[in-house]
Each structure stands twice: as C-alpha cells, then as structure tokens.
Amino acid sequence: MISSVRGIVGYADQDSVVVEVGGVGLTVAVTPDVARSARVGEPLFLHTSLIVREDALSLVGFEARDELTTFLLLVGVTGVGPKSALGVLSAMSVDQIATAVAAEDDAPFRRVSGIGPKTAKLIVLHLTGKVIAPAVASRAASVTDNRADAVTAALTGLGWPERHAAEVAAAVLEDAAAEASVQDLLRRALAELGPARKEPLRG
C-alpha cells in the first residue's frame, strides 16, 4: 500500500498530477482543486490510496487526511467506484458531504456525474454515523467543554485548587461515556481525588 507521496510536481492537468519521487514520476489522480494548486517544480505532499485492478494500478491522492478517509468510505458503497468517489470529492467538501448525510439529503450526490438516485441513497445510508457534520461536532465539543467547566467549578468550590481540579475533570471526562452527566462526572472526580488527595481543602 502506498499511503502517501512526497515529491516535486513534474506535470499537472485537470484531474491528475505527476509527482517526481526519487527519479520516478508517479501519476496521481486528484481533484481539480489540487490540480489547479499544483505548481511544476514545487514540492507536493499527498495522502494516497493505491487502487488495484486486474488490468491496472492507479494512485488517488488528497491534500487532507479526512478527504482520503471519506474517499475510502465512498468506494465502499455498492456502485461507487474510484472515479465516482473522486467526483463526489471534487464537487463537495468533506464538511458538505457530512452535512448532507446528517440531513439524509441525497440530492447533492445525485448531481455528481455517474451517481444515480439509488446510489445516492446508498451513499447516505452507508456514511450515516461514519462522518460527522460540522454543526454536530461543534455542539458535541460545546457540551464537552461545558461539562468539564461545570465539574471544575464544583471541585474548586469544594476547595481544590483550580488547576488541579481542571486536570482531574479533563481526565475523568476523557474516560467517561459521551452521555455521562455532570453529576456522574463529579462523583468520579471526587472518587479520584478522595483517596489520593494531596491538596488540603481550604477553610
């Protein structure tokens, strides 16, 4: 498996680049955005996937790791080949794909050449739970931050130094289930602090 390519751009057209690596020119299929940004004679790094077929070997490359991950998810959908998957990522960003999947909206996928209505529905079904829309990720991060802050504030109110309280809150949150409540986290934090407490309570 060729997981990445780093070298000098030898050539670029609309949907591929040639990357010179150790005197060997590797042709890599890319999105139009990558092809347009590639400059002959300049360095280029791509995350890649080697596509193996009976009659050919081909490389597909992306500048961002999450694009490659999404590409691999797409080619796992029945009826979606490497060319169609690359077409999806040429037409839509990873965030746009995740947002469409979260909304169960297959229309953006149907607008991609080579993707029919049935395949578009399969893409949404297959990617559900595997890609996270930005808004959902932002809400999750906010909830996480709020819970950590709440536990830290509670521990500080009970007398532990703020820095120590924040460290314990973060550690407990990292190990806890996503749905754990502030009360659950506080109980765990107190269990951690109780037996091993080195900092005396104030007052």
Side-chain angles (χ1 to χ4, degrees), residues 93-202:
S93 69
V94 171
D95 286 348
Q96 288 171 333
I97 291 171
T99 299
V101 170
E104 299 182 355
D105 181 11
D106 62 5
F109 301 106
R110 286 189 274 112
R111 289 194 285 268
V112 177
S113 177
I115 303 292
K118 181 179 178 180
T119 302
K121 292 182 183 298
L122 286 174
I123 289 174
V124 172
L125 181 64
H126 185 77
L127 268 61
T128 296
K130 298 177 182 177
V131 291
I132 301 176
V136 174
S138 177
R139 286 197 298 272
S142 176
V143 169
T144 296
D145 291 343
N146 289 342
R147 289 187 299 169
D149 289 345
V151 173
T152 300
L155 292 174
T156 303
L158 290 172
W160 273 276
E162 183 175 357
R163 180 176 177 181
H164 188 37
E167 290 174 353
V168 173
V172 168
L173 186 59
E174 184 177 351
D175 294 335
E179 65 275 11
S181 67
V182 171
Q183 290 78 7
D184 289 336
L185 294 171
L186 181 56
R187 279 195 292 271
R188 296 186 187 191
L190 289 171
E192 290 284 333
L193 286 165
R197 187 173 68 235
K198 296 181 180 179
E199 299 285 348
L201 289 174
R202 294 193 300 270

Side-chain angles (χ1 to χ4, degrees), residues 49-63:
S49 176
L50 178 64
I51 307 300
V52 180
R53 291 180 172 175
E54 292 183 0
D55 58 346
L57 298 175
S58 57
L59 275 173
V60 179
F62 303 92
E63 291 184 320

Side-chain angles (χ1 to χ4, degrees), residues 65-103:
R65 181 73 189 178
D66 62 346
E67 291 176 315
L68 174 60
T69 300
T70 303
F71 171 82
L72 295 174
L73 288 172
L74 287 167
V75 295
V77 179
T78 301
V80 179
K83 183 177 180 179
S84 295
L86 191 59
V88 172
L89 283 159
S90 297
M92 304 168 66
S93 69
V94 171
D95 286 348
Q96 288 171 333
I97 291 171
T99 299
V101 170

